[in-house]
Amino acid sequence: MRWCSAYLKIDVAAAALRGDPRFLDSRTLVVTGERAEESAARARYKPFEPHRADRRFGRRRRRHIDHWRPVLHWPERQVWDIIRAHGIRPHPAYRAGFGRVSCMTCIFGAPDQWATVRAHAPERFRRIADYEAQFGVTIHRKRPVTERVLAGTAYAAAPSGIDAALCESHEETVAVPVDQWELPAGAFGEKAGPT
C-alpha cells in the first residue's frame, strides 16, 4: 500500500495539536499552502474550516483550531508572482529543477526525479533500491527504482554546490530576501505526485 501525506504529514501535525496542552482553551490558526490545481482531491478542500484537531465544542477539553488555505484557488503563476514581488528566495529544490518541494525520494516520484536523485544523491538512491531488493516490494506499483531511473533524465538545473547541501538540510543559512530574483528552474515544471 502506498501512502504519504495523510500519515506522515497531516496526521502527525494533528496528533501534535491534539497532544499538546498549550492548544487547550485557546484559539489556533493552522495555515497551509495546498492549491486546487495540484489534484482533484485538493480541489474539493474548503478555504477555511475547523481543523481536524478542533474540539471547540468538547465537553471535557476544548481546543479551538481553524484551518486556512489562503492560496487554495491561486494558479501557480500567482504564487510565483507574489514570491517575486516580495523578493523571497525560492526553496533550493525549486532552484534545482524540482517542480514540487516534497520528499526527495517521494514514493510518487517520476523517472526524471529519480534520475536527479541518483545523479546528485546516489547514497539516497542506493538506499531505496536496496530496501526494494531486501523487502521484495517496490515503491512504484510495477517497476523498481532501478528501472524507473533508466527512463528519466536528471534535471538540467540539478543541485550543485550550496543548493545541493541546502536541498538536504533542515535549515537554510543564506539570506531569504534576494536583490536579483530569478524564476527557479522548477517553476511550472514536472509535478510528480498523486493526482
PDB file of all heavy atoms in Angstrom, residues 133-164:
ATOM      1  N   ALA A 133      14.981  -4.260  -2.902  1.00  0.00           N
ATOM      2  CA  ALA A 133      15.521  -5.611  -3.093  1.00  0.00           C
ATOM      3  C   ALA A 133      15.378  -6.440  -1.811  1.00  0.00           C
ATOM      4  O   ALA A 133      14.973  -7.609  -1.856  1.00  0.00           O
ATOM      5  CB  ALA A 133      16.982  -5.534  -3.524  1.00  0.00           C
ATOM      6  N   GLN A 134      15.686  -5.846  -0.681  1.00  0.00           N
ATOM      7  CA  GLN A 134      15.629  -6.541   0.602  1.00  0.00           C
ATOM      8  C   GLN A 134      14.213  -6.983   0.958  1.00  0.00           C
ATOM      9  O   GLN A 134      13.990  -8.110   1.406  1.00  0.00           O
ATOM     10  CB  GLN A 134      16.177  -5.630   1.699  1.00  0.00           C
ATOM     11  CG  GLN A 134      16.128  -6.225   3.097  1.00  0.00           C
ATOM     12  CD  GLN A 134      16.610  -5.238   4.151  1.00  0.00           C
ATOM     13  OE1 GLN A 134      17.137  -4.178   3.853  1.00  0.00           O
ATOM     14  NE2 GLN A 134      16.431  -5.596   5.406  1.00  0.00           N
ATOM     15  N   PHE A 135      13.229  -6.103   0.745  1.00  0.00           N
ATOM     16  CA  PHE A 135      11.853  -6.393   1.145  1.00  0.00           C
ATOM     17  C   PHE A 135      11.025  -7.055   0.051  1.00  0.00           C
ATOM     18  O   PHE A 135       9.920  -7.535   0.308  1.00  0.00           O
ATOM     19  CB  PHE A 135      11.154  -5.121   1.623  1.00  0.00           C
ATOM     20  CG  PHE A 135      11.824  -4.479   2.807  1.00  0.00           C
ATOM     21  CD1 PHE A 135      12.094  -3.126   2.807  1.00  0.00           C
ATOM     22  CD2 PHE A 135      12.200  -5.227   3.911  1.00  0.00           C
ATOM     23  CE1 PHE A 135      12.714  -2.526   3.888  1.00  0.00           C
ATOM     24  CE2 PHE A 135      12.828  -4.645   5.003  1.00  0.00           C
ATOM     25  CZ  PHE A 135      13.087  -3.282   5.000  1.00  0.00           C
ATOM     26  N   GLY A 136      11.542  -7.051  -1.187  1.00  0.00           N
ATOM     27  CA  GLY A 136      10.802  -7.649  -2.287  1.00  0.00           C
ATOM     28  C   GLY A 136       9.561  -6.869  -2.672  1.00  0.00           C
ATOM     29  O   GLY A 136       8.622  -7.424  -3.249  1.00  0.00           O
ATOM     30  N   VAL A 137       9.541  -5.584  -2.341  1.00  0.00           N
ATOM     31  CA  VAL A 137       8.408  -4.711  -2.637  1.00  0.00           C
ATOM     32  C   VAL A 137       8.967  -3.419  -3.226  1.00  0.00           C
ATOM     33  O   VAL A 137       9.974  -2.899  -2.747  1.00  0.00           O
ATOM     34  CB  VAL A 137       7.616  -4.389  -1.342  1.00  0.00           C
ATOM     35  CG1 VAL A 137       6.488  -3.423  -1.625  1.00  0.00           C
ATOM     36  CG2 VAL A 137       7.096  -5.659  -0.697  1.00  0.00           C
ATOM     37  N   THR A 138       8.313  -2.904  -4.263  1.00  0.00           N
ATOM     38  CA  THR A 138       8.793  -1.674  -4.895  1.00  0.00           C
ATOM     39  C   THR A 138       7.920  -0.488  -4.518  1.00  0.00           C
ATOM     40  O   THR A 138       6.743  -0.647  -4.184  1.00  0.00           O
ATOM     41  CB  THR A 138       8.811  -1.817  -6.426  1.00  0.00           C
ATOM     42  OG1 THR A 138       7.483  -2.062  -6.878  1.00  0.00           O
ATOM     43  CG2 THR A 138       9.729  -2.957  -6.854  1.00  0.00           C
ATOM     44  N   ILE A 139       8.511   0.690  -4.593  1.00  0.00           N
ATOM     45  CA  ILE A 139       7.771   1.919  -4.330  1.00  0.00           C
ATOM     46  C   ILE A 139       6.711   2.113  -5.408  1.00  0.00           C
ATOM     47  O   ILE A 139       5.554   2.365  -5.125  1.00  0.00           O
ATOM     48  CB  ILE A 139       8.730   3.124  -4.277  1.00  0.00           C
ATOM     49  CG1 ILE A 139       9.509   3.091  -2.971  1.00  0.00           C
ATOM     50  CG2 ILE A 139       7.973   4.430  -4.406  1.00  0.00           C
ATOM     51  CD1 ILE A 139      10.545   4.181  -2.842  1.00  0.00           C
ATOM     52  N   HIS A 140       7.127   2.004  -6.648  1.00  0.00           N
ATOM     53  CA  HIS A 140       6.197   2.095  -7.774  1.00  0.00           C
ATOM     54  C   HIS A 140       5.449   0.773  -7.846  1.00  0.00           C
ATOM     55  O   HIS A 140       5.998  -0.280  -7.537  1.00  0.00           O
ATOM     56  CB  HIS A 140       6.991   2.354  -9.061  1.00  0.00           C
ATOM     57  CG  HIS A 140       6.153   2.602 -10.257  1.00  0.00           C
ATOM     58  ND1 HIS A 140       5.795   1.599 -11.127  1.00  0.00           N
ATOM     59  CD2 HIS A 140       5.592   3.732 -10.738  1.00  0.00           C
ATOM     60  CE1 HIS A 140       5.056   2.104 -12.092  1.00  0.00           C
ATOM     61  NE2 HIS A 140       4.910   3.397 -11.875  1.00  0.00           N
ATOM     62  N   ARG A 141       4.217   0.812  -8.274  1.00  0.00           N
ATOM     63  CA  ARG A 141       3.407  -0.410  -8.271  1.00  0.00           C
ATOM     64  C   ARG A 141       3.957  -1.509  -9.186  1.00  0.00           C
ATOM     65  O   ARG A 141       3.746  -2.683  -8.931  1.00  0.00           O
ATOM     66  CB  ARG A 141       1.979  -0.082  -8.673  1.00  0.00           C
ATOM     67  CG  ARG A 141       1.277   0.780  -7.658  1.00  0.00           C
ATOM     68  CD  ARG A 141      -0.211   0.853  -7.943  1.00  0.00           C
ATOM     69  NE  ARG A 141      -0.874   1.839  -7.117  1.00  0.00           N
ATOM     70  CZ  ARG A 141      -1.241   1.646  -5.867  1.00  0.00           C
ATOM     71  NH1 ARG A 141      -0.980   0.514  -5.289  1.00  0.00           N
ATOM     72  NH2 ARG A 141      -1.845   2.599  -5.198  1.00  0.00           N
ATOM     73  N   LYS A 142       4.652  -1.122 -10.248  1.00  0.00           N
ATOM     74  CA  LYS A 142       5.060  -2.127 -11.230  1.00  0.00           C
ATOM     75  C   LYS A 142       6.563  -2.241 -11.447  1.00  0.00           C
ATOM     76  O   LYS A 142       7.037  -3.288 -11.859  1.00  0.00           O
ATOM     77  CB  LYS A 142       4.383  -1.837 -12.566  1.00  0.00           C
ATOM     78  CG  LYS A 142       2.877  -1.931 -12.492  1.00  0.00           C
ATOM     79  CD  LYS A 142       2.242  -1.602 -13.822  1.00  0.00           C
ATOM     80  CE  LYS A 142       0.730  -1.668 -13.681  1.00  0.00           C
ATOM     81  NZ  LYS A 142       0.045  -1.186 -14.849  1.00  0.00           N
ATOM     82  N   ARG A 143       7.319  -1.153 -11.208  1.00  0.00           N
ATOM     83  CA  ARG A 143       8.741  -1.181 -11.563  1.00  0.00           C
ATOM     84  C   ARG A 143       9.605  -0.665 -10.423  1.00  0.00           C
ATOM     85  O   ARG A 143       9.267   0.318  -9.777  1.00  0.00           O
ATOM     86  CB  ARG A 143       8.969  -0.313 -12.797  1.00  0.00           C
ATOM     87  CG  ARG A 143       8.232  -0.857 -14.018  1.00  0.00           C
ATOM     88  CD  ARG A 143       8.224   0.086 -15.193  1.00  0.00           C
ATOM     89  NE  ARG A 143       9.547   0.511 -15.588  1.00  0.00           N
ATOM     90  CZ  ARG A 143       9.800   1.637 -16.227  1.00  0.00           C
ATOM     91  NH1 ARG A 143       8.815   2.448 -16.555  1.00  0.00           N
ATOM     92  NH2 ARG A 143      11.024   1.961 -16.561  1.00  0.00           N
ATOM     93  N   PRO A 144      10.756  -1.298 -10.192  1.00  0.00           N
ATOM     94  CA  PRO A 144      11.667  -0.820  -9.147  1.00  0.00           C
ATOM     95  C   PRO A 144      12.336   0.492  -9.586  1.00  0.00           C
ATOM     96  O   PRO A 144      12.385   0.819 -10.779  1.00  0.00           O
ATOM     97  CB  PRO A 144      12.692  -1.950  -9.022  1.00  0.00           C
ATOM     98  CG  PRO A 144      12.667  -2.640 -10.345  1.00  0.00           C
ATOM     99  CD  PRO A 144      11.255  -2.501 -10.857  1.00  0.00           C
ATOM    100  N   VAL A 145      12.863   1.217  -8.619  1.00  0.00           N
ATOM    101  CA  VAL A 145      13.505   2.493  -8.942  1.00  0.00           C
ATOM    102  C   VAL A 145      14.687   2.300  -9.874  1.00  0.00           C
ATOM    103  O   VAL A 145      15.000   3.180 -10.674  1.00  0.00           O
ATOM    104  CB  VAL A 145      13.930   3.275  -7.675  1.00  0.00           C
ATOM    105  CG1 VAL A 145      12.715   3.726  -6.895  1.00  0.00           C
ATOM    106  CG2 VAL A 145      14.898   2.492  -6.813  1.00  0.00           C
ATOM    107  N   THR A 146      15.330   1.141  -9.815  1.00  0.00           N
ATOM    108  CA  THR A 146      16.468   0.888 -10.705  1.00  0.00           C
ATOM    109  C   THR A 146      16.045   0.813 -12.169  1.00  0.00           C
ATOM    110  O   THR A 146      16.852   1.061 -13.060  1.00  0.00           O
ATOM    111  CB  THR A 146      17.193  -0.424 -10.307  1.00  0.00           C
ATOM    112  OG1 THR A 146      16.231  -1.485 -10.224  1.00  0.00           O
ATOM    113  CG2 THR A 146      17.918  -0.261  -8.976  1.00  0.00           C
ATOM    114  N   GLU A 147      14.789   0.498 -12.435  1.00  0.00           N
ATOM    115  CA  GLU A 147      14.270   0.527 -13.804  1.00  0.00           C
ATOM    116  C   GLU A 147      13.689   1.903 -14.134  1.00  0.00           C
ATOM    117  O   GLU A 147      13.873   2.409 -15.232  1.00  0.00           O
ATOM    118  CB  GLU A 147      13.171  -0.536 -14.000  1.00  0.00           C
ATOM    119  CG  GLU A 147      13.685  -1.946 -14.051  1.00  0.00           C
ATOM    120  CD  GLU A 147      12.562  -2.955 -14.267  1.00  0.00           C
ATOM    121  OE1 GLU A 147      11.474  -2.580 -14.763  1.00  0.00           O
ATOM    122  OE2 GLU A 147      12.778  -4.133 -13.921  1.00  0.00           O
ATOM    123  N   ARG A 148      12.969   2.480 -13.197  1.00  0.00           N
ATOM    124  CA  ARG A 148      12.341   3.787 -13.441  1.00  0.00           C
ATOM    125  C   ARG A 148      13.389   4.840 -13.770  1.00  0.00           C
ATOM    126  O   ARG A 148      13.178   5.692 -14.616  1.00  0.00           O
ATOM    127  CB  ARG A 148      11.517   4.212 -12.232  1.00  0.00           C
ATOM    128  CG  ARG A 148      10.377   3.226 -11.999  1.00  0.00           C
ATOM    129  CD  ARG A 148       9.253   3.782 -11.210  1.00  0.00           C
ATOM    130  NE  ARG A 148       8.508   4.697 -12.050  1.00  0.00           N
ATOM    131  CZ  ARG A 148       7.980   5.837 -11.619  1.00  0.00           C
ATOM    132  NH1 ARG A 148       8.106   6.201 -10.384  1.00  0.00           N
ATOM    133  NH2 ARG A 148       7.313   6.608 -12.435  1.00  0.00           N
ATOM    134  N   VAL A 149      14.517   4.782 -13.096  1.00  0.00           N
ATOM    135  CA  VAL A 149      15.558   5.785 -13.297  1.00  0.00           C
ATOM    136  C   VAL A 149      16.096   5.746 -14.731  1.00  0.00           C
ATOM    137  O   VAL A 149      16.497   6.776 -15.278  1.00  0.00           O
ATOM    138  CB  VAL A 149      16.695   5.609 -12.255  1.00  0.00           C
ATOM    139  CG1 VAL A 149      17.539   4.380 -12.560  1.00  0.00           C
ATOM    140  CG2 VAL A 149      17.560   6.838 -12.160  1.00  0.00           C
ATOM    141  N   LEU A 150      16.069   4.574 -15.352  1.00  0.00           N
ATOM    142  CA  LEU A 150      16.574   4.443 -16.718  1.00  0.00           C
ATOM    143  C   LEU A 150      15.681   5.156 -17.734  1.00  0.00           C
ATOM    144  O   LEU A 150      16.130   5.497 -18.825  1.00  0.00           O
ATOM    145  CB  LEU A 150      16.713   2.963 -17.093  1.00  0.00           C
ATOM    146  CG  LEU A 150      17.693   2.161 -16.232  1.00  0.00           C
ATOM    147  CD1 LEU A 150      17.659   0.692 -16.613  1.00  0.00           C
ATOM    148  CD2 LEU A 150      19.098   2.742 -16.325  1.00  0.00           C
ATOM    149  N   ALA A 151      14.437   5.396 -17.373  1.00  0.00           N
ATOM    150  CA  ALA A 151      13.500   6.096 -18.255  1.00  0.00           C
ATOM    151  C   ALA A 151      13.555   7.612 -18.062  1.00  0.00           C
ATOM    152  O   ALA A 151      12.852   8.348 -18.744  1.00  0.00           O
ATOM    153  CB  ALA A 151      12.082   5.600 -18.009  1.00  0.00           C
ATOM    154  N   GLY A 152      14.394   8.080 -17.122  1.00  0.00           N
ATOM    155  CA  GLY A 152      14.433   9.500 -16.827  1.00  0.00           C
ATOM    156  C   GLY A 152      15.752  10.169 -17.158  1.00  0.00           C
ATOM    157  O   GLY A 152      16.742   9.517 -17.463  1.00  0.00           O
ATOM    158  N   THR A 153      15.730  11.487 -17.088  1.00  0.00           N
ATOM    159  CA  THR A 153      16.911  12.327 -17.295  1.00  0.00           C
ATOM    160  C   THR A 153      16.977  13.305 -16.126  1.00  0.00           C
ATOM    161  O   THR A 153      15.965  13.930 -15.788  1.00  0.00           O
ATOM    162  CB  THR A 153      16.783  13.126 -18.610  1.00  0.00           C
ATOM    163  OG1 THR A 153      16.588  12.205 -19.680  1.00  0.00           O
ATOM    164  CG2 THR A 153      18.022  13.965 -18.863  1.00  0.00           C
ATOM    165  N   ALA A 154      18.146  13.427 -15.533  1.00  0.00           N
ATOM    166  CA  ALA A 154      18.309  14.348 -14.400  1.00  0.00           C
ATOM    167  C   ALA A 154      17.978  15.770 -14.842  1.00  0.00           C
ATOM    168  O   ALA A 154      18.249  16.164 -15.976  1.00  0.00           O
ATOM    169  CB  ALA A 154      19.732  14.278 -13.859  1.00  0.00           C
ATOM    170  N   TYR A 155      17.365  16.526 -13.945  1.00  0.00           N
ATOM    171  CA  TYR A 155      17.024  17.909 -14.243  1.00  0.00           C
ATOM    172  C   TYR A 155      18.289  18.683 -14.609  1.00  0.00           C
ATOM    173  O   TYR A 155      19.329  18.533 -13.954  1.00  0.00           O
ATOM    174  CB  TYR A 155      16.359  18.588 -13.052  1.00  0.00           C
ATOM    175  CG  TYR A 155      15.093  17.904 -12.582  1.00  0.00           C
ATOM    176  CD1 TYR A 155      14.858  17.714 -11.233  1.00  0.00           C
ATOM    177  CD2 TYR A 155      14.122  17.482 -13.483  1.00  0.00           C
ATOM    178  CE1 TYR A 155      13.699  17.105 -10.784  1.00  0.00           C
ATOM    179  CE2 TYR A 155      12.963  16.868 -13.044  1.00  0.00           C
ATOM    180  CZ  TYR A 155      12.758  16.681 -11.698  1.00  0.00           C
ATOM    181  OH  TYR A 155      11.610  16.080 -11.262  1.00  0.00           O
ATOM    182  N   ALA A 156      18.190  19.523 -15.626  1.00  0.00           N
ATOM    183  CA  ALA A 156      19.345  20.297 -16.094  1.00  0.00           C
ATOM    184  C   ALA A 156      19.889  21.208 -15.005  1.00  0.00           C
ATOM    185  O   ALA A 156      21.094  21.444 -14.923  1.00  0.00           O
ATOM    186  CB  ALA A 156      18.961  21.109 -17.330  1.00  0.00           C
ATOM    187  N   ALA A 157      19.022  21.728 -14.168  1.00  0.00           N
ATOM    188  CA  ALA A 157      19.447  22.638 -13.110  1.00  0.00           C
ATOM    189  C   ALA A 157      19.689  21.893 -11.803  1.00  0.00           C
ATOM    190  O   ALA A 157      19.648  22.485 -10.742  1.00  0.00           O
ATOM    191  CB  ALA A 157      18.389  23.720 -12.901  1.00  0.00           C
ATOM    192  N   ALA A 158      19.937  20.610 -11.891  1.00  0.00           N
ATOM    193  CA  ALA A 158      20.071  19.797 -10.682  1.00  0.00           C
ATOM    194  C   ALA A 158      21.078  20.396  -9.713  1.00  0.00           C
ATOM    195  O   ALA A 158      21.971  21.139 -10.111  1.00  0.00           O
ATOM    196  CB  ALA A 158      20.479  18.385 -11.072  1.00  0.00           C
ATOM    197  N   PRO A 159      20.918  20.080  -8.431  1.00  0.00           N
ATOM    198  CA  PRO A 159      21.700  20.745  -7.389  1.00  0.00           C
ATOM    199  C   PRO A 159      23.201  20.563  -7.524  1.00  0.00           C
ATOM    200  O   PRO A 159      23.680  19.515  -7.908  1.00  0.00           O
ATOM    201  CB  PRO A 159      21.192  20.100  -6.105  1.00  0.00           C
ATOM    202  CG  PRO A 159      20.533  18.847  -6.518  1.00  0.00           C
ATOM    203  CD  PRO A 159      20.047  19.059  -7.908  1.00  0.00           C
ATOM    204  N   SER A 160      23.880  21.631  -7.220  1.00  0.00           N
ATOM    205  CA  SER A 160      25.335  21.588  -7.142  1.00  0.00           C
ATOM    206  C   SER A 160      25.733  22.613  -6.096  1.00  0.00           C
ATOM    207  O   SER A 160      24.987  23.537  -5.800  1.00  0.00           O
ATOM    208  CB  SER A 160      25.963  21.933  -8.495  1.00  0.00           C
ATOM    209  OG  SER A 160      25.602  23.250  -8.864  1.00  0.00           O
ATOM    210  N   GLY A 161      26.883  22.447  -5.534  1.00  0.00           N
ATOM    211  CA  GLY A 161      27.383  23.411  -4.565  1.00  0.00           C
ATOM    212  C   GLY A 161      26.426  23.648  -3.416  1.00  0.00           C
ATOM    213  O   GLY A 161      25.912  22.712  -2.827  1.00  0.00           O
ATOM    214  N   ILE A 162      26.171  24.910  -3.129  1.00  0.00           N
ATOM    215  CA  ILE A 162      25.346  25.264  -1.976  1.00  0.00           C
ATOM    216  C   ILE A 162      23.923  24.745  -2.109  1.00  0.00           C
ATOM    217  O   ILE A 162      23.326  24.299  -1.136  1.00  0.00           O
ATOM    218  CB  ILE A 162      25.369  26.777  -1.711  1.00  0.00           C
ATOM    219  CG1 ILE A 162      24.712  27.072  -0.359  1.00  0.00           C
ATOM    220  CG2 ILE A 162      24.678  27.551  -2.825  1.00  0.00           C
ATOM    221  CD1 ILE A 162      24.943  28.472   0.131  1.00  0.00           C
ATOM    222  N   ASP A 163      23.343  24.752  -3.310  1.00  0.00           N
ATOM    223  CA  ASP A 163      21.976  24.271  -3.459  1.00  0.00           C
ATOM    224  C   ASP A 163      21.864  22.788  -3.124  1.00  0.00           C
ATOM    225  O   ASP A 163      20.879  22.351  -2.548  1.00  0.00           O
ATOM    226  CB  ASP A 163      21.447  24.525  -4.869  1.00  0.00           C
ATOM    227  CG  ASP A 163      20.906  25.940  -5.034  1.00  0.00           C
ATOM    228  OD1 ASP A 163      20.775  26.641  -4.011  1.00  0.00           O
ATOM    229  OD2 ASP A 163      20.618  26.326  -6.162  1.00  0.00           O
ATOM    230  N   ALA A 164      22.862  21.989  -3.474  1.00  0.00           N
ATOM    231  CA  ALA A 164      22.819  20.569  -3.154  1.00  0.00           C
ATOM    232  C   ALA A 164      22.803  20.367  -1.646  1.00  0.00           C
ATOM    233  O   ALA A 164      22.020  19.573  -1.116  1.00  0.00           O
ATOM    234  CB  ALA A 164      24.020  19.851  -3.765  1.00  0.00           C
TER     235      ALA A 164
END
